[in-house]
Amino acid sequence: MVGFDPNQRRKLTPFDHAAAGAVSGVITRSVAQPLDVLKIRFQLQVEPLKFGTGSKYTGVAQAVGKIYQEEGLFALWKGHVAAQGLSVIFGISQFVSFEFLTKNTYYLLPENLTQPLYKPVYHFFCGGIAGCVSTCVSQPIDVLRTRLVSQGEPKVYTGIRHAVGMMYQEAGVRTFYKGLTPTLIQLFPYNGLQFGFYSFFKTLWKPVMSKKNEIGAIGSGICGSGAGLCSKIIIYPLDLIKKRLQVIGFEEAPG
């Protein structure tokens, strides 16, 4: 169950929500890391995605082959350790803060606004705030991950410790918060839309697909996937801007 529900049979503790956020983050990151590496490489490439224009990457299949040829198979999991740290920290802070916000919001709102019809609306705002809280906590790891993933061969950074040291020499602690403003601008609507769409899809799913008016694991997965897809399509341009800002000062890295 995502979001506070006073009618829920088993009351979950903050530890339960933290564990759920951490585990879901680890599993998702392990599966999706190669796609994330490809996404970042395309985002940081300034040339158009056309053949014969000097573009290094022109398509997904071509990019996978190019990375494998130049850097090996495990290059698709570059920055995986940092990415897992990001997923765990972000997942924990996001789920815990979202549950805290939805619980307190539920008791502050008038009773008519806590009905299923309005739940996607206040879940949007609670999810947006939870995303901003999680971003402020995890931003340094996100910047570190982006730097590790974006470097080609030869490597600028030999490892996490080396990367942290060199990044600190650039502009001190501020280096680790590059791109924070567009990240917050992106994450508030993105996270809000994720939780809002999930609540909306779940409201549609229950009466149509469930005889017991319960969503179940499969229904939750489908609603969550739909919510993530819709949210990412809407917010993707801001994600591109964020990645470009995070690598400012890192121009010497070969693509």
Side-chain angles (χ1 to χ4, degrees):
M1 178 62 67
V2 178
F4 175 71
D5 184 355
N7 300 316
Q8 189 174 347
R9 295 178 182 177
R10 179 175 178 264
K11 302 298 182 182
L12 301 178
T13 66
F15 177 80
D16 293 328
H17 296 304
V23 172
S24 63
V26 168
I27 295 174
T28 303
R29 177 60 58 186
S30 298
V31 174
Q33 177 68 8
L35 296 175
D36 196 45
V37 170
L38 289 173
K39 183 196 74 168
I40 292 175
R41 292 293 181 92
F42 279 119
Q43 286 179 327
L44 300 182
Q45 177 175 266
V46 296
E47 297 85 4
L49 301 178
K50 296 180 180 179
F51 292 101
T53 59
S55 300
K56 184 169 185 177
Y57 306 122
T58 57
V60 174
Q62 183 271 344
V64 171
K66 190 76 171 178
I67 293 172
Y68 174 75
Q69 181 183 11
E70 295 182 351
E71 306 169 49
L73 178 64
F74 290 106
L76 293 171
W77 277 269
K78 269 187 176 180
H80 186 61
V81 174
Q84 284 290 12
L86 170 67
S87 298
V88 170
I89 293 174
F90 189 90
I92 290 174
S93 54
Q94 176 182 242
F95 272 72
V96 171
S97 57
F98 181 72
E99 294 298 325
F100 172 82
L101 290 166
T102 51
K103 180 178 180 179
N104 285 275
T105 301
Y106 180 88
Y107 289 117
L108 289 174
L109 287 173
E111 186 176 351
N112 63 310
L113 295 181
T114 60
Q115 300 303 312
L117 178 64
Y118 298 101
K119 184 176 285 188
V121 178
Y122 77 81
H123 274 203
F124 168 81
F125 288 102
C126 291
I129 296 172
C132 291
V133 171
S134 305
T135 297
C136 291
V137 173
S138 61
Q139 179 71 2
I141 300 179
D142 191 25
V143 175
L144 174 63
R145 174 187 71 106
T146 300
R147 294 291 186 94
L148 291 173
V149 169
S150 63
Q151 64 176 351
E153 295 291 342
K155 294 180 179 178
V156 176
Y157 305 131
T158 58
I160 293 178
R161 184 178 299 180
H162 181 235
V164 170
M166 288 190 65
M167 289 168 64
Y168 184 79
Q169 291 177 6
E170 287 180 26
V173 176
R174 289 181 299 170
T175 306
F176 298 93
Y177 286 90
K178 283 185 175 181
L180 179 61
T181 299
T183 301
L184 292 176
I185 294 173
Q186 173 208 355
L187 256 293
F188 183 90
Y190 176 64
N191 253 48
L193 287 170
Q194 268 196 314
F195 285 109
F197 274 128
Y198 176 77
S199 182
F200 174 71
F201 291 149
K202 188 172 65 172
T203 302
L204 296 178
W205 178 278
K206 284 183 177 180
V208 176
M209 303 297 294
S210 177
K211 296 180 180 180
K212 298 181 180 180
N213 202 34
E214 295 179 357
I215 188 168
I218 296 177
S220 182
I222 293 174
C223 291
S225 300
L229 177 63
C230 293
S231 305
K232 180 60 76 174
I233 290 174
I234 294 171
I235 302 300
Y236 187 79
L238 288 173
D239 188 50
L240 173 61
I241 295 172
K242 179 189 76 171
K243 293 302 181 198
R244 293 289 180 92
L245 289 174
Q246 285 180 338
V247 295
I248 290 177
F250 188 50
E251 291 81 2
E252 69 272 19

